[in-house]
Amino acid sequence: MDEPASTMKEPTAIDTLAISNHQTPEELVAKAIAPVKREYLRPTPIRSCSYDDNSKYGKSGKDSAASNVVTEKKSKRQQKRERKQEQKSVLHICPDVARSGTASTCRYGGTCRFSHDLEAYKAQKPEDLEGNCPFLSLNAPCPYGIACRFAGTHVESVSVENLKSSEMNGLKKDLQKLLWKNKKSFPRADIQLNELGLQVKDYIKERKKKAHEDIDQSNLNGENQHQNDNGVEIMSECTDKAGDFQDMCTEKESIEDTRLPDEAHPLKKAKTVADVKCCMTQRDDEGIVESEEAGFKDTISNDFCMMESDSSLKLNAREKKLIDFRGKLYLAPLTTVGNLPFRRVCKVLGADITCGEMAMCTNLLQGQASEWALLRRHSTENLFGVQICGAYPDTVARTVDLVESECSLDFIDINMGCPIDIVVNKGAGSSLLVKPMRMKNIIQAASRTMEKPLTVKVRTGFLEGRNRIDSLIADIGKWGANALTIHGRSRQQRHVSDCPELSTCMISRGALLKPWIFTEIKEQRHWDISSGERLSILKDFVHYGLEHWGSDTKGVETTRHFLLEWLSYTFRYVPVGLLDIIPQRLNWRPPSFYGRDDLETLMASDSAADWIRISEMLLGKVPSGFTFAPKHKSNAYDRAENG
């Protein structure tokens, strides 16, 4: 029986090429289509726009009240409003009470903003999930107590105080308060910035502050101050000069403060003592900055000449501990999916070097907990680095000073290749590729501040066809970088070129599609992995996720969210046994195909509704009103399912 016209779907280009024309595998590869064996090909499944619990694989209930897949991400304001409404309707138990099981253990007593009613919480708590609490494998009690979704499997043999976390690099409250109040000092960074002449702006602020103090002191002493008949104060010539100085500084700062929030500490060009003494203007890659009048200029130069650096804090490049990257498999920093649980999965499968997700320097300096979470390290990551991104030398130098002193790491990587607009528009990421002097200042300031190795990640260029990085590779090493990673395409292009002189290479999207790529490289084989083995890898990720984000309801849903983000990539993997030509290329678009079993078929689905079904196999049913939209909207979901 033919399907109704309303549900008929036009065949895609892939369907036409792979099914109707029956092209050869070589012809399909030439068109970047995965050459799946003909016996596994199938027409694209027809799906409605809804999903419900009673729907079968490949189809969704037509009468479902709401869809679990959304067409657009909700705004932050809408998400905040929904969270407030949810908090009012859901009873949140006090963490101290949940751990101990008694209301008297709360450190805040009657002022606590959480509930202490254990019976009421148990009445509205969702049912426990199948399986054991992830903290049982650590031979320690669960820190979430009765709030854990596996509370029925808890044992009481060890006290909570004896629980030792295997994660490092958490943000301490005392440090966060100092960062919030802008009272954290950066001695190593400030010394190196002064030596490089990159501290002029801070010096002008100090001069402005001193001028205000002098004016206030003169006012208290009654000097240079008069009143007219109406009692209005009149400043004399001396005070007017101070006012001119104030106006000059105010004008200078007003120009600089027009930048975006992440550019709170911009500096144009390194302003050395010689520049201040001899030059009336200074030039940089963005324009001309007029210097001040000769008298003020001499004052600045004299004060800079009086500065003395602490030689004990000056670093020697030969004393730095170097890392031999040759022959090691390096998991690239991956936004969203490259979280700590995913890195643990890749470590088990053979990755040698791991790196945290890109963190913005300004957010770290402001003490944002969400940004510091990107620096977390697991004890199994024996060679670990963090990646930061900043637009100006002083911001980056103070960040590496802060991160190196507060975190456990082996190297720091500066991202100078991020193409995202929100990063580029703030002067960071790949926009630095067109500002070589800014790159030089950042690398020099950071490398001289650090004791650990500094690495830099770039692209071939900012604009297509203009590979600016070729002429800077040697200079980047001279500026202080210990290693350079080149993303083999510009900000605008997606071509890949080979280079036989590489020490090693980062593995990024290959690990997203198949994290067992590290095993394949080390064992020099194409792993025809089964669906059951792939499901076991997903189970490991879920286990690591519950340890990292928590085994309570919030932790379970956070783990589910990142699992779904990962599944939005893994569906593009075509098993080796289904291909006419191996190995699989990352740019191959997979056609719709049947797997060798139902689970393999389900894992190959490009429907977000089916990804949710996989998550339910590992984390139980999704909560009422659950929705999901992939963050990376490449080719991750079809139009019929997501508008």
Side-chain angles (χ1 to χ4, degrees), residues 300-318:
I300 295 180
S301 63
N302 292 335
D303 288 345
F304 267 114
C305 291
M306 295 174 61
M307 291 183 178
E308 294 183 0
S309 299
D310 186 355
S311 59
S312 64
L313 294 178
K314 188 173 182 179
L315 303 177
N316 191 329
R318 292 177 296 179

mmCIF file with all atom_site columns, all heavy atoms in Angstrom, residues 300-318:
data_model
loop_
_atom_site.group_PDB
_atom_site.id
_atom_site.type_symbol
_atom_site.label_atom_id
_atom_site.label_alt_id
_atom_site.label_comp_id
_atom_site.label_asym_id
_atom_site.label_entity_id
_atom_site.label_seq_id
_atom_site.pdbx_PDB_ins_code
_atom_site.Cartn_x
_atom_site.Cartn_y
_atom_site.Cartn_z
_atom_site.occupancy
_atom_site.B_iso_or_equiv
_atom_site.pdbx_formal_charge
_atom_site.auth_seq_id
_atom_site.auth_comp_id
_atom_site.auth_asym_id
_atom_site.auth_atom_id
_atom_site.pdbx_PDB_model_num
ATOM 1   N N   . ILE A 1 300 ? 57.122 59.750 32.824 1.00 0.00 ? 300 ILE A N   1
ATOM 2   C CA  . ILE A 1 300 ? 56.927 58.314 32.659 1.00 0.00 ? 300 ILE A CA  1
ATOM 3   C C   . ILE A 1 300 ? 58.262 57.604 32.473 1.00 0.00 ? 300 ILE A C   1
ATOM 4   O O   . ILE A 1 300 ? 58.538 56.591 33.089 1.00 0.00 ? 300 ILE A O   1
ATOM 5   C CB  . ILE A 1 300 ? 55.997 58.028 31.457 1.00 0.00 ? 300 ILE A CB  1
ATOM 6   C CG1 . ILE A 1 300 ? 54.600 58.572 31.724 1.00 0.00 ? 300 ILE A CG1 1
ATOM 7   C CG2 . ILE A 1 300 ? 55.937 56.531 31.166 1.00 0.00 ? 300 ILE A CG2 1
ATOM 8   C CD1 . ILE A 1 300 ? 53.639 58.327 30.590 1.00 0.00 ? 300 ILE A CD1 1
ATOM 9   N N   . SER A 1 301 ? 59.120 58.167 31.600 1.00 0.00 ? 301 SER A N   1
ATOM 10  C CA  . SER A 1 301 ? 60.391 57.504 31.341 1.00 0.00 ? 301 SER A CA  1
ATOM 11  C C   . SER A 1 301 ? 61.251 57.458 32.589 1.00 0.00 ? 301 SER A C   1
ATOM 12  O O   . SER A 1 301 ? 61.916 56.462 32.856 1.00 0.00 ? 301 SER A O   1
ATOM 13  C CB  . SER A 1 301 ? 61.130 58.234 30.210 1.00 0.00 ? 301 SER A CB  1
ATOM 14  O OG  . SER A 1 301 ? 61.430 59.564 30.609 1.00 0.00 ? 301 SER A OG  1
ATOM 15  N N   . ASN A 1 302 ? 61.251 58.521 33.388 1.00 0.00 ? 302 ASN A N   1
ATOM 16  C CA  . ASN A 1 302 ? 62.046 58.522 34.611 1.00 0.00 ? 302 ASN A CA  1
ATOM 17  C C   . ASN A 1 302 ? 61.554 57.466 35.589 1.00 0.00 ? 302 ASN A C   1
ATOM 18  O O   . ASN A 1 302 ? 62.344 56.773 36.225 1.00 0.00 ? 302 ASN A O   1
ATOM 19  C CB  . ASN A 1 302 ? 61.994 59.904 35.268 1.00 0.00 ? 302 ASN A CB  1
ATOM 20  C CG  . ASN A 1 302 ? 62.718 60.945 34.425 1.00 0.00 ? 302 ASN A CG  1
ATOM 21  O OD1 . ASN A 1 302 ? 63.611 60.608 33.651 1.00 0.00 ? 302 ASN A OD1 1
ATOM 22  N ND2 . ASN A 1 302 ? 62.321 62.198 34.567 1.00 0.00 ? 302 ASN A ND2 1
ATOM 23  N N   . ASP A 1 303 ? 60.215 57.352 35.700 1.00 0.00 ? 303 ASP A N   1
ATOM 24  C CA  . ASP A 1 303 ? 59.672 56.358 36.625 1.00 0.00 ? 303 ASP A CA  1
ATOM 25  C C   . ASP A 1 303 ? 59.970 54.935 36.167 1.00 0.00 ? 303 ASP A C   1
ATOM 26  O O   . ASP A 1 303 ? 60.224 54.048 36.971 1.00 0.00 ? 303 ASP A O   1
ATOM 27  C CB  . ASP A 1 303 ? 58.155 56.544 36.772 1.00 0.00 ? 303 ASP A CB  1
ATOM 28  C CG  . ASP A 1 303 ? 57.834 57.792 37.586 1.00 0.00 ? 303 ASP A CG  1
ATOM 29  O OD1 . ASP A 1 303 ? 58.766 58.292 38.239 1.00 0.00 ? 303 ASP A OD1 1
ATOM 30  O OD2 . ASP A 1 303 ? 56.687 58.229 37.563 1.00 0.00 ? 303 ASP A OD2 1
ATOM 31  N N   . PHE A 1 304 ? 59.916 54.711 34.823 1.00 0.00 ? 304 PHE A N   1
ATOM 32  C CA  . PHE A 1 304 ? 60.230 53.379 34.336 1.00 0.00 ? 304 PHE A CA  1
ATOM 33  C C   . PHE A 1 304 ? 61.693 53.034 34.570 1.00 0.00 ? 304 PHE A C   1
ATOM 34  O O   . PHE A 1 304 ? 62.041 51.895 34.835 1.00 0.00 ? 304 PHE A O   1
ATOM 35  C CB  . PHE A 1 304 ? 59.918 53.273 32.827 1.00 0.00 ? 304 PHE A CB  1
ATOM 36  C CG  . PHE A 1 304 ? 58.554 52.764 32.538 1.00 0.00 ? 304 PHE A CG  1
ATOM 37  C CD1 . PHE A 1 304 ? 57.611 53.568 31.929 1.00 0.00 ? 304 PHE A CD1 1
ATOM 38  C CD2 . PHE A 1 304 ? 58.204 51.474 32.884 1.00 0.00 ? 304 PHE A CD2 1
ATOM 39  C CE1 . PHE A 1 304 ? 56.351 53.094 31.671 1.00 0.00 ? 304 PHE A CE1 1
ATOM 40  C CE2 . PHE A 1 304 ? 56.935 50.995 32.622 1.00 0.00 ? 304 PHE A CE2 1
ATOM 41  C CZ  . PHE A 1 304 ? 56.017 51.801 32.014 1.00 0.00 ? 304 PHE A CZ  1
ATOM 42  N N   . CYS A 1 305 ? 62.565 54.034 34.446 1.00 0.00 ? 305 CYS A N   1
ATOM 43  C CA  . CYS A 1 305 ? 63.980 53.776 34.684 1.00 0.00 ? 305 CYS A CA  1
ATOM 44  C C   . CYS A 1 305 ? 64.242 53.393 36.129 1.00 0.00 ? 305 CYS A C   1
ATOM 45  O O   . CYS A 1 305 ? 65.230 52.717 36.435 1.00 0.00 ? 305 CYS A O   1
ATOM 46  C CB  . CYS A 1 305 ? 64.804 55.013 34.310 1.00 0.00 ? 305 CYS A CB  1
ATOM 47  S SG  . CYS A 1 305 ? 64.829 55.351 32.538 1.00 0.00 ? 305 CYS A SG  1
ATOM 48  N N   . MET A 1 306 ? 63.383 53.811 37.052 1.00 0.00 ? 306 MET A N   1
ATOM 49  C CA  . MET A 1 306 ? 63.575 53.506 38.467 1.00 0.00 ? 306 MET A CA  1
ATOM 50  C C   . MET A 1 306 ? 63.073 52.116 38.832 1.00 0.00 ? 306 MET A C   1
ATOM 51  O O   . MET A 1 306 ? 63.329 51.625 39.925 1.00 0.00 ? 306 MET A O   1
ATOM 52  C CB  . MET A 1 306 ? 62.845 54.550 39.319 1.00 0.00 ? 306 MET A CB  1
ATOM 53  C CG  . MET A 1 306 ? 63.421 55.949 39.177 1.00 0.00 ? 306 MET A CG  1
ATOM 54  S SD  . MET A 1 306 ? 62.432 57.168 40.052 1.00 0.00 ? 306 MET A SD  1
ATOM 55  C CE  . MET A 1 306 ? 62.569 56.566 41.732 1.00 0.00 ? 306 MET A CE  1
ATOM 56  N N   . MET A 1 307 ? 62.299 51.489 37.897 1.00 0.00 ? 307 MET A N   1
ATOM 57  C CA  . MET A 1 307 ? 61.763 50.161 38.199 1.00 0.00 ? 307 MET A CA  1
ATOM 58  C C   . MET A 1 307 ? 62.871 49.114 38.191 1.00 0.00 ? 307 MET A C   1
ATOM 59  O O   . MET A 1 307 ? 63.760 49.126 37.343 1.00 0.00 ? 307 MET A O   1
ATOM 60  C CB  . MET A 1 307 ? 60.698 49.753 37.159 1.00 0.00 ? 307 MET A CB  1
ATOM 61  C CG  . MET A 1 307 ? 59.421 50.560 37.257 1.00 0.00 ? 307 MET A CG  1
ATOM 62  S SD  . MET A 1 307 ? 58.206 49.955 36.079 1.00 0.00 ? 307 MET A SD  1
ATOM 63  C CE  . MET A 1 307 ? 56.837 51.029 36.457 1.00 0.00 ? 307 MET A CE  1
ATOM 64  N N   . GLU A 1 308 ? 62.859 48.203 39.133 1.00 0.00 ? 308 GLU A N   1
ATOM 65  C CA  . GLU A 1 308 ? 63.823 47.113 39.193 1.00 0.00 ? 308 GLU A CA  1
ATOM 66  C C   . GLU A 1 308 ? 63.070 45.791 39.283 1.00 0.00 ? 308 GLU A C   1
ATOM 67  O O   . GLU A 1 308 ? 62.152 45.644 40.083 1.00 0.00 ? 308 GLU A O   1
ATOM 68  C CB  . GLU A 1 308 ? 64.735 47.255 40.415 1.00 0.00 ? 308 GLU A CB  1
ATOM 69  C CG  . GLU A 1 308 ? 65.629 48.477 40.349 1.00 0.00 ? 308 GLU A CG  1
ATOM 70  C CD  . GLU A 1 308 ? 66.561 48.529 41.546 1.00 0.00 ? 308 GLU A CD  1
ATOM 71  O OE1 . GLU A 1 308 ? 66.486 47.610 42.391 1.00 0.00 ? 308 GLU A OE1 1
ATOM 72  O OE2 . GLU A 1 308 ? 67.340 49.464 41.621 1.00 0.00 ? 308 GLU A OE2 1
ATOM 73  N N   . SER A 1 309 ? 63.455 44.849 38.443 1.00 0.00 ? 309 SER A N   1
ATOM 74  C CA  . SER A 1 309 ? 62.785 43.551 38.422 1.00 0.00 ? 309 SER A CA  1
ATOM 75  C C   . SER A 1 309 ? 63.440 42.607 39.410 1.00 0.00 ? 309 SER A C   1
ATOM 76  O O   . SER A 1 309 ? 64.633 42.693 39.679 1.00 0.00 ? 309 SER A O   1
ATOM 77  C CB  . SER A 1 309 ? 62.855 42.942 37.011 1.00 0.00 ? 309 SER A CB  1
ATOM 78  O OG  . SER A 1 309 ? 62.206 43.791 36.100 1.00 0.00 ? 309 SER A OG  1
ATOM 79  N N   . ASP A 1 310 ? 62.658 41.723 39.938 1.00 0.00 ? 310 ASP A N   1
ATOM 80  C CA  . ASP A 1 310 ? 63.159 40.702 40.842 1.00 0.00 ? 310 ASP A CA  1
ATOM 81  C C   . ASP A 1 310 ? 63.779 39.586 40.011 1.00 0.00 ? 310 ASP A C   1
ATOM 82  O O   . ASP A 1 310 ? 63.096 38.833 39.337 1.00 0.00 ? 310 ASP A O   1
ATOM 83  C CB  . ASP A 1 310 ? 62.004 40.158 41.682 1.00 0.00 ? 310 ASP A CB  1
ATOM 84  C CG  . ASP A 1 310 ? 62.493 39.190 42.748 1.00 0.00 ? 310 ASP A CG  1
ATOM 85  O OD1 . ASP A 1 310 ? 63.697 38.878 42.752 1.00 0.00 ? 310 ASP A OD1 1
ATOM 86  O OD2 . ASP A 1 310 ? 61.662 38.755 43.567 1.00 0.00 ? 310 ASP A OD2 1
ATOM 87  N N   . SER A 1 311 ? 65.090 39.484 40.043 1.00 0.00 ? 311 SER A N   1
ATOM 88  C CA  . SER A 1 311 ? 65.783 38.506 39.204 1.00 0.00 ? 311 SER A CA  1
ATOM 89  C C   . SER A 1 311 ? 65.418 37.076 39.567 1.00 0.00 ? 311 SER A C   1
ATOM 90  O O   . SER A 1 311 ? 65.547 36.166 38.755 1.00 0.00 ? 311 SER A O   1
ATOM 91  C CB  . SER A 1 311 ? 67.298 38.705 39.320 1.00 0.00 ? 311 SER A CB  1
ATOM 92  O OG  . SER A 1 311 ? 67.709 38.552 40.673 1.00 0.00 ? 311 SER A OG  1
ATOM 93  N N   . SER A 1 312 ? 64.962 36.856 40.785 1.00 0.00 ? 312 SER A N   1
ATOM 94  C CA  . SER A 1 312 ? 64.620 35.494 41.190 1.00 0.00 ? 312 SER A CA  1
ATOM 95  C C   . SER A 1 312 ? 63.376 34.986 40.490 1.00 0.00 ? 312 SER A C   1
ATOM 96  O O   . SER A 1 312 ? 63.143 33.789 40.412 1.00 0.00 ? 312 SER A O   1
ATOM 97  C CB  . SER A 1 312 ? 64.412 35.434 42.703 1.00 0.00 ? 312 SER A CB  1
ATOM 98  O OG  . SER A 1 312 ? 63.297 36.238 43.077 1.00 0.00 ? 312 SER A OG  1
ATOM 99  N N   . LEU A 1 313 ? 62.544 35.899 39.974 1.00 0.00 ? 313 LEU A N   1
ATOM 100 C CA  . LEU A 1 313 ? 61.318 35.499 39.285 1.00 0.00 ? 313 LEU A CA  1
ATOM 101 C C   . LEU A 1 313 ? 61.500 35.436 37.781 1.00 0.00 ? 313 LEU A C   1
ATOM 102 O O   . LEU A 1 313 ? 60.579 35.091 37.065 1.00 0.00 ? 313 LEU A O   1
ATOM 103 C CB  . LEU A 1 313 ? 60.186 36.482 39.617 1.00 0.00 ? 313 LEU A CB  1
ATOM 104 C CG  . LEU A 1 313 ? 59.729 36.490 41.073 1.00 0.00 ? 313 LEU A CG  1
ATOM 105 C CD1 . LEU A 1 313 ? 58.636 37.536 41.261 1.00 0.00 ? 313 LEU A CD1 1
ATOM 106 C CD2 . LEU A 1 313 ? 59.220 35.137 41.507 1.00 0.00 ? 313 LEU A CD2 1
ATOM 107 N N   . LYS A 1 314 ? 62.693 35.792 37.299 1.00 0.00 ? 314 LYS A N   1
ATOM 108 C CA  . LYS A 1 314 ? 62.928 35.762 35.869 1.00 0.00 ? 314 LYS A CA  1
ATOM 109 C C   . LYS A 1 314 ? 63.229 34.344 35.427 1.00 0.00 ? 314 LYS A C   1
ATOM 110 O O   . LYS A 1 314 ? 64.097 33.671 35.987 1.00 0.00 ? 314 LYS A O   1
ATOM 111 C CB  . LYS A 1 314 ? 64.093 36.687 35.514 1.00 0.00 ? 314 LYS A CB  1
ATOM 112 C CG  . LYS A 1 314 ? 64.280 36.869 34.008 1.00 0.00 ? 314 LYS A CG  1
ATOM 113 C CD  . LYS A 1 314 ? 65.329 37.915 33.713 1.00 0.00 ? 314 LYS A CD  1
ATOM 114 C CE  . LYS A 1 314 ? 65.475 38.139 32.221 1.00 0.00 ? 314 LYS A CE  1
ATOM 115 N NZ  . LYS A 1 314 ? 66.469 39.178 31.908 1.00 0.00 ? 314 LYS A NZ  1
ATOM 116 N N   . LEU A 1 315 ? 62.511 33.862 34.416 1.00 0.00 ? 315 LEU A N   1
ATOM 117 C CA  . LEU A 1 315 ? 62.620 32.476 34.003 1.00 0.00 ? 315 LEU A CA  1
ATOM 118 C C   . LEU A 1 315 ? 63.665 32.313 32.923 1.00 0.00 ? 315 LEU A C   1
ATOM 119 O O   . LEU A 1 315 ? 63.859 33.197 32.089 1.00 0.00 ? 315 LEU A O   1
ATOM 120 C CB  . LEU A 1 315 ? 61.267 31.981 33.483 1.00 0.00 ? 315 LEU A CB  1
ATOM 121 C CG  . LEU A 1 315 ? 60.111 32.106 34.466 1.00 0.00 ? 315 LEU A CG  1
ATOM 122 C CD1 . LEU A 1 315 ? 58.827 31.651 33.794 1.00 0.00 ? 315 LEU A CD1 1
ATOM 123 C CD2 . LEU A 1 315 ? 60.364 31.286 35.711 1.00 0.00 ? 315 LEU A CD2 1
ATOM 124 N N   . ASN A 1 316 ? 64.328 31.186 32.931 1.00 0.00 ? 316 ASN A N   1
ATOM 125 C CA  . ASN A 1 316 ? 65.292 30.829 31.906 1.00 0.00 ? 316 ASN A CA  1
ATOM 126 C C   . ASN A 1 316 ? 64.689 29.741 31.047 1.00 0.00 ? 316 ASN A C   1
ATOM 127 O O   . ASN A 1 316 ? 64.258 28.704 31.551 1.00 0.00 ? 316 ASN A O   1
ATOM 128 C CB  . ASN A 1 316 ? 66.592 30.338 32.545 1.00 0.00 ? 316 ASN A CB  1
ATOM 129 C CG  . ASN A 1 316 ? 67.715 30.201 31.528 1.00 0.00 ? 316 ASN A CG  1
ATOM 130 O OD1 . ASN A 1 316 ? 67.479 29.916 30.354 1.00 0.00 ? 316 ASN A OD1 1
ATOM 131 N ND2 . ASN A 1 316 ? 68.945 30.406 31.988 1.00 0.00 ? 316 ASN A ND2 1
ATOM 132 N N   . ALA A 1 317 ? 64.646 29.982 29.742 1.00 0.00 ? 317 ALA A N   1
ATOM 133 C CA  . ALA A 1 317 ? 63.993 29.025 28.853 1.00 0.00 ? 317 ALA A CA  1
ATOM 134 C C   . ALA A 1 317 ? 64.645 27.648 28.916 1.00 0.00 ? 317 ALA A C   1
ATOM 135 O O   . ALA A 1 317 ? 63.990 26.625 28.744 1.00 0.00 ? 317 ALA A O   1
ATOM 136 C CB  . ALA A 1 317 ? 64.020 29.557 27.420 1.00 0.00 ? 317 ALA A CB  1
ATOM 137 N N   . ARG A 1 318 ? 65.951 27.594 29.184 1.00 0.00 ? 318 ARG A N   1
ATOM 138 C CA  . ARG A 1 318 ? 66.637 26.309 29.230 1.00 0.00 ? 318 ARG A CA  1
ATOM 139 C C   . ARG A 1 318 ? 66.252 25.490 30.462 1.00 0.00 ? 318 ARG A C   1
ATOM 140 O O   . ARG A 1 318 ? 66.488 24.288 30.522 1.00 0.00 ? 318 ARG A O   1
ATOM 141 C CB  . ARG A 1 318 ? 68.150 26.537 29.213 1.00 0.00 ? 318 ARG A CB  1
ATOM 142 C CG  . ARG A 1 318 ? 68.651 27.100 27.890 1.00 0.00 ? 318 ARG A CG  1
ATOM 143 C CD  . ARG A 1 318 ? 70.141 27.375 27.953 1.00 0.00 ? 318 ARG A CD  1
ATOM 144 N NE  . ARG A 1 318 ? 70.453 28.404 28.937 1.00 0.00 ? 318 ARG A NE  1
ATOM 145 C CZ  . ARG A 1 318 ? 71.693 28.823 29.205 1.00 0.00 ? 318 ARG A CZ  1
ATOM 146 N NH1 . ARG A 1 318 ? 72.719 28.287 28.580 1.00 0.00 ? 318 ARG A NH1 1
ATOM 147 N NH2 . ARG A 1 318 ? 71.889 29.772 30.109 1.00 0.00 ? 318 ARG A NH2 1
#
